[in-house]
Amino acid sequence: MATESAVNYTYMGRSFNDLSINDDSSAFSDCNSDRSGEFPTASSQSRRLLLACANSENSDELIRQLVSDLQSCSIDDQKQAALELRLLAKNKPENRIKIAKAGAIKPLISLISSSDSYLQENGVTAILNLSLCDENKELIASSGAIKPLVRALRTGTSTAKENAACALLRLSQIEENKVAIGRSGAIPLLVNLLESGGIRGKKDAATALYSLCTVKENKIRAVEAGIMKPLVELMADFASNMVDKSAFVLSVLVSVPEAKTALVDEGGIPVLVEIIEVGSQRQKEIAVAILLQICEESVVYRTMVAREGAIPPLVALSQAGTNRAKQKAETLIELLRQPRSGNAAARPSNVSV
């Protein structure tokens, strides 16, 4: 599996261990447990769930009964069991291990393929909540969850799609699952969610794509699926609250030539220059890092960046940015000011993946 490591970049005696931004945690911190509902109120189910959460012995007994109900001939019993297991896994982390050990994972995966949207949504969301436990991720993947989750991305409700994206993200945190998820057809569906989903769907899709696209073949799939257009549009829209996420996704894509070409074709260079002019410090740094990768071997792209007016904001960043941003800005300025002869000796070297 071609999982790419950090980019090593040496130019004019300066060495960068990583052209990206180390602090991506806050940009991708909100794809966690489901946000689609809490305990129902004023019902016997509410009371027994609350009791189960308060008492370990009661929760063990209830979980065993709910797992049994998942396989009931009654659709209503299945629906109630899936809902309650979802909520138990959401609200008490230790229940995630108990539910998995009680044998819930395979019947929940079966529900993901249900034609009943309520069953599918609760099955997806229960699997998402169980996947938050590291001990469960491998079991969920080996039990066959990836293809049903991809199917939910294609056919589910908006909530099912969002939670399926988050569940695939969690499974992709095991490296060997990234290729399997990409080959299952998830990438085009995530790109579609990024482009046409609601704000939460866009965020969840971007987070999943950021993880999956550390694998080279998934980068190619994403570019072929048309990811560059929504990424550039979201980066250009400062009101979208998606500039950081989109830029981080772009930063892992541009190591492949296809992504560089697509970015330029979609008008990405003016957008990146604007980010350097008016973005936050983190946004400016990631934009410079992306432009460095675009320009490192292309005189044509350097010319385009320079003509877009990049040098004045880069000079300002080199004087007032963070230490990392200053270093990258200075390097890009020197690169852009090189004679535009196309001489290979003038190019930065030693970019490895």
Side-chain angles (χ1 to χ4, degrees):
M1 177 175 61
T3 300
E4 300 195 348
S5 58
V7 177
N8 296 314
Y9 184 96
T10 302
Y11 174 66
M12 297 291 287
R14 298 189 183 92
S15 179
F16 302 94
N17 291 327
D18 188 356
L19 284 181
S20 65
I21 306 294
N22 287 333
D23 181 21
D24 60 3
S25 57
S26 60
F28 293 107
S29 62
D30 56 356
C31 192
N32 296 304
S33 65
D34 78 270
R35 291 148 284 178
S36 54
E38 290 292 346
F39 288 116
T41 58
S43 69
S44 59
Q45 289 84 3
S46 171
R47 289 190 291 274
R48 74 169 177 164
L49 282 169
L50 290 170
L51 179 61
C53 282
N55 186 299
S56 177
E57 189 173 319
N58 285 336
S59 71
D60 291 345
E61 181 181 349
L62 174 59
I63 286 167
R64 285 192 294 270
Q65 181 58 53
L66 291 173
V67 172
S68 176
D69 289 346
L70 285 176
Q71 301 169 79
S72 168
C73 294
S74 166
I75 295 293
D76 288 340
D77 286 349
Q78 289 180 358
K79 288 181 177 180
Q80 191 61 41
L83 170 65
E84 295 189 26
L85 286 168
R86 187 200 88 183
L87 294 173
L88 284 169
K90 173 181 179 177
N91 288 282
K92 200 165 186 183
E94 55 264 38
N95 284 338
R96 294 167 191 157
I97 295 176
K98 290 181 181 181
I99 291 169
K101 287 183 175 178
I105 287 175
K106 284 192 174 181
L108 284 170
I109 291 171
S110 296
L111 296 186
I112 298 175
S113 299
S114 173
S115 59
D116 185 292
S117 61
Y118 185 89
L119 272 177
Q120 182 189 58
E121 184 176 309
N122 279 295
V124 167
T125 310
I127 289 294
L128 164 61
N129 290 345
L130 293 176
S131 73
L132 300 178
C133 173
D134 288 341
E135 295 178 38
N136 290 339
K137 290 175 185 174
E138 187 172 344
L139 178 59
I140 291 170
S142 65
S143 296
I146 291 174
K147 288 185 178 179
L149 286 169
V150 172
R151 194 176 303 118
L153 266 180
R154 181 181 293 109
T155 65
T157 65
S158 60
T159 297
K161 289 178 180 180
E162 292 161 358
N163 288 341
C166 280
L168 289 169
L169 163 69
R170 297 300 165 187
L171 298 185
S172 76
Q173 290 167 349
I174 298 177
E175 282 297 313
E176 52 265 34
N177 289 338
K178 293 183 179 182
V179 168
I181 293 170
R183 291 177 181 177
S184 70
I187 302 295
L189 297 170
L190 288 168
V191 171
N192 184 61
L193 186 60
L194 178 69
E195 185 166 23
S196 59
I199 185 59
R200 188 196 150 191
K202 292 179 187 294
K203 290 180 177 180
D204 292 344
T207 307
L209 287 163
Y210 179 72
S211 175
L212 290 166
C213 288
T214 59
V215 176
K216 184 175 181 180
E217 67 181 69
N218 287 343
K219 298 178 198 280
I220 304 300
R221 289 189 181 97
V223 174
E224 291 176 345
I227 193 173
M228 211 54 68
K229 181 176 183 290
L231 285 181
V232 170
E233 289 176 351
L234 289 167
M235 286 193 303
D237 182 3
F238 284 88
S240 71
N241 199 29
M242 287 288 295
V243 175
D244 295 60
K245 284 182 172 63
S246 301
F248 274 115
V249 175
L250 179 57
S251 74
V252 299
L253 293 172
V254 291
S255 62
V256 296
E258 295 89 343
K260 294 175 184 177
T261 301
L263 173 64
V264 173
D265 288 347
E266 291 294 342
I269 287 177
V271 172
L272 290 166
V273 172
E274 183 182 15
I275 290 173
I276 297 172
E277 291 176 334
V278 301
S280 68
Q281 283 296 318
R282 182 169 67 177
Q283 290 165 358
K284 291 178 180 181
E285 184 180 342
I286 192 65
V288 174
I290 293 167
L291 287 174
L292 272 170
Q293 292 189 73
I294 293 170
C295 293
E296 43 127 352
E297 292 181 346
S298 173
V299 173
V300 171
Y301 292 164
R302 291 178 213 167
T303 302
M304 292 174 69
V305 172
R307 287 178 176 172
E308 200 58 47
I311 290 179
L314 284 169
V315 170
L317 185 61
S318 71
Q319 296 170 346
T322 64
N323 288 336
R324 284 169 56 92
K326 286 178 181 178
Q327 189 180 34
K328 290 173 184 174
E330 289 168 359
T331 304
L332 184 53
I333 290 167
E334 292 173 8
L335 190 58
L336 296 177
R337 285 175 170 169
Q338 281 185 6
R340 294 165 193 166
S341 63
N343 188 339
R347 296 173 183 171
S349 61
N350 199 25
V351 176
S352 62
V353 293

